[in-house]
Amino acid sequence: MENLFRAHIEKVIALTDDEFKDVLLHFSLMNFKRRDFLIREGGRVPYAFWVVSGLLKLDYADASGKQHVVAFAMEDWWEGDYYAFFNQSPASMSLQALENTQVLCMTLQGYNNLCRNLPKMTYFFLQKANRGHISSQQRILELISTNAKERYDKLLQRYPILFQRVPHTLIASYLGVTRETLSRLSTP
């Protein structure tokens, strides 16, 4: 796990052995079983998560109670309700394990300490935030400017493994279509 995490960080910045040891001090390893919640809507958000192994689903319940899948996160991805995490406000979304999942967890205090004491980690987190922001904008643009078939094809092209690991009802929710529509889209 440590080697995987270091490799993840060093795609962006180089760390000495001592710096990496310091980084690790700001994280704790947690395990969640399939269906466990890491974050519940309305609850506290004490951590941001990096996925060591497993698969997570971030979703939002609208005013009528309908669940909307906002994101999936698999190995080597970061996930959380970042608005609630950084503002220390109640969660507006839920984060749930779709498989048995192992994550590295970082508190807001840990994040702030890392950024203050190891400035290159500020750059690392900035790069991750920028990439996440770009990805979110692309997802919004796809939702408003492409049809269901185009969204399905793009998701299949980018992340084919999701179709093997995620129930089709959740993929349908992520794409903004019904399960029946998804079945039609997946039929050649």
Side-chain angles (χ1 to χ4, degrees):
M1 174 277 305
E2 290 180 10
N3 291 338
L4 292 173
F5 191 50
R6 185 168 186 170
H8 172 76
I9 294 171
E10 290 191 335
K11 289 176 191 171
V12 179
I13 59 168
L15 293 173
T16 66
D17 290 343
D18 287 340
E19 287 171 336
F20 182 65
K21 285 178 189 171
D22 187 40
V23 168
L24 279 180
L25 292 175
H26 294 83
F27 288 86
S28 55
L29 188 65
M30 297 179 87
N31 294 293
F32 295 90
K33 291 184 180 355
R34 183 174 177 256
R35 295 192 180 107
D36 283 353
F37 283 89
L38 289 72
I39 299 171
R40 284 191 187 268
E41 182 180 348
R44 290 183 56 246
V45 181
Y47 303 109
F49 303 95
W50 183 75
V51 181
V52 177
S53 63
L55 182 65
L56 302 173
K57 163 190 70 131
L58 184 69
D59 65 17
Y60 170 78
D62 66 21
S64 68
K66 182 178 178 188
Q67 295 294 123
H68 302 273
V69 175
V70 175
F72 297 106
M74 57 184 135
E75 294 83 3
D76 202 32
W77 292 10
W78 291 86
E79 196 54 84
D81 181 335
Y82 291 114
Y83 180 87
F85 176 74
F86 283 108
N87 290 294
Q88 293 296 279
S89 61
S92 61
M93 296 180 277
S94 295
L95 185 64
Q96 186 178 28
L98 295 177
E99 302 172 350
N100 291 341
T101 300
Q102 186 174 65
V103 292
L104 284 175
C105 307
M106 175 185 58
T107 64
L108 183 59
Q109 180 181 356
Y111 170 86
N112 289 330
N113 287 341
L114 268 177
C115 291
R116 185 175 33 259
N117 298 328
L118 191 56
K120 62 173 86 173
M121 285 302 291
T122 302
Y123 179 77
F124 170 79
F125 289 127
L126 176 63
Q127 291 304 305
K128 289 296 165 183
N130 286 343
R131 291 175 189 162
H133 184 69
I134 290 166
S135 179
S136 293
Q137 284 184 337
Q138 291 301 308
R139 176 154 155 68
I140 291 166
L141 289 174
E142 286 174 10
L143 283 170
I144 63 175
S145 66
T146 61
N147 64 42
K149 178 66 172 151
E150 291 168 327
R151 291 193 304 274
Y152 173 87
D153 289 342
K154 284 184 182 186
L155 184 63
L156 183 60
Q157 178 186 5
R158 284 186 193 132
Y159 307 111
I161 192 70
L162 282 179
F163 289 81
Q164 298 168 22
R165 295 173 71 179
V166 175
H168 287 188
T169 53
L170 297 179
I171 289 177
S173 174
Y174 179 80
L175 293 172
V177 300
T178 65
R179 175 70 175 90
E180 294 76 21
T181 299
L182 181 66
S183 292
R184 285 193 301 276
L185 295 173
S186 61
T187 304

